[in-house]
Amino acid sequence: AQSVSQHNHHVILSEAASLELGCNYSYGGTVNLFWYVQYPGQHLQLLLKYFSGDPLVKGIKGFEAEFIKSKFSFNLRKPSVQWSDTAEYFCAVKELDSGGYQKVTFGIGTKLQVIP
Amino acid sequence: KAGVTQTPRYLIKTRGQQVTLSCSPISGHRSVSWYQQTPGQGLQFLFEYFSETQRNKGNFPGRFSGRQFSNSRSEMNVSTLELGDSALYLCASGRQVESTDTQYFGPGTRLTVL
């Protein structure tokens, strides 16, 4: 079965620091990859997604992620975080089987706290 | 375009009771997925419906069930509630026409079981 690992459960950074959140998955077939963000008191929102093509994808609010197929990884990065980036970040992997069925598995989430 | 709506937003029940949660997807979306979110387990997939048919089910006991109506609205039912069922239940909708489809999440229903 598919599994998604987010290595850092709680990250604390100062404003302007660089961010990298790790995400690894176990499925060896075709996947679509997502990062979602949940700001305090708000619902899950899509940050960025990878379907195919350029493995470096750019999302909203200056976030980007790189798909490295050989490492089964899809790490999220941002060069300079802001206090408003304080939120919980979820990596998600959609596996695509031959029958056309698509199942989405989420990581446990990483809570990011940015200190002004 | 209106987003995914879930009702009720908050619910308090006691052990042994049953509960029904409702989800209205974005207009035109035919797929609805349900997730349970808890601090310790993160988001766990419950089931997915597409055009009134359940396409997949996660590893939850039979007390958790769902259905989808012809207008794509979906309901989730939990019978014989247990304390451990306290969680945020999220609904997500998508077109699911192509593999590149994206899910859009609702605000969730916060269920507390006493």
Side-chain angles (χ1 to χ4, degrees):
Chain A
Q2 168 76 273
S3 67
V4 179
S5 300
Q6 290 184 242
H7 316 298
N8 314 102
H9 293 172
H10 199 171
V11 173
I12 302 174
L13 294 173
S14 299
E15 274 193 316
S18 64
L19 170 72
E20 180 159 3
L21 301 181
C23 173
N24 286 88
Y25 62 94
S26 62
Y27 187 65
T30 302
V31 293
N32 292 335
L33 303 161
F34 306 82
W35 276 97
Y36 285 87
V37 60
Q38 190 169 29
Y39 297 104
Q42 297 186 29
H43 57 86
L44 275 168
Q45 302 170 40
L46 182 67
L47 204 51
L48 49 78
K49 60 188 177 185
Y50 170 81
F51 291 146
S52 63
D54 188 345
L56 183 63
V57 293
K58 296 190 183 298
I60 60 172
K61 303 185 181 184
F63 285 91
E64 64 179 32
E66 185 175 12
F67 170 48
I68 303 179
K69 189 174 181 179
S70 60
K71 294 185 179 180
F72 298 90
S73 71
F74 189 56
N75 292 353
L76 180 71
R77 299 194 293 248
K78 185 171 183 178
S80 176
V81 294
Q82 301 172 315
W83 176 79
S84 59
D85 293 325
T86 294
E88 191 160 13
Y89 294 81
F90 295 88
C91 178
V93 178
K94 181 194 288 186
E95 57 185 87
L96 311 173
D97 66 18
S98 57
Y101 178 70
Q102 305 157 43
K103 178 182 174 183
V104 180
T105 303
F106 280 78
I108 199 165
T110 297
K111 288 185 179 176
L112 171 65
Q113 183 180 357
V114 180
I115 302 170
Chain B
K1 192 184 241 187
V4 178
T5 57
Q6 293 186 244
T7 55
R9 293 292 312 278
Y10 301 91
L11 207 49
I12 299 175
K13 292 285 188 179
T14 56
R15 279 181 299 175
Q17 287 187 308
Q18 75 161 17
V19 66
T20 299
L21 312 181
S22 179
C23 171
S24 293
I26 292 171
S27 178
H29 285 191
R30 294 162 62 190
S31 165
V32 173
S33 297
W34 287 90
Y35 295 86
Q36 181 193 66
Q37 185 179 16
T38 57
Q41 301 293 323
L43 277 96
Q44 292 188 285
F45 172 74
L46 279 155
F47 27 65
E48 184 209 0
Y49 287 87
F50 180 78
S51 293
E52 302 178 67
T53 301
Q54 187 180 86
R55 297 211 298 185
N56 193 33
K57 191 175 189 300
N59 296 324
F60 279 81
R63 300 184 297 107
F64 292 81
S65 63
R67 59 178 176 169
Q68 186 179 34
F69 301 95
S70 58
N71 62 357
S72 295
R73 190 178 69 85
S74 177
E75 287 183 346
M76 189 192 92
N77 186 75
V78 187
S79 62
T80 319
L81 284 166
E82 301 177 359
L83 295 178
D85 297 334
S86 294
L88 181 67
Y89 290 87
L90 295 171
C91 163
S93 78
R95 294 182 307 148
Q96 286 285 296
V97 174
E98 302 167 348
S99 62
T100 54
D101 192 36
T102 298
Q103 289 183 319
Y104 296 87
F105 284 81
T109 294
R110 174 77 60 187
L111 172 64
T112 302
V113 182
L114 303 176

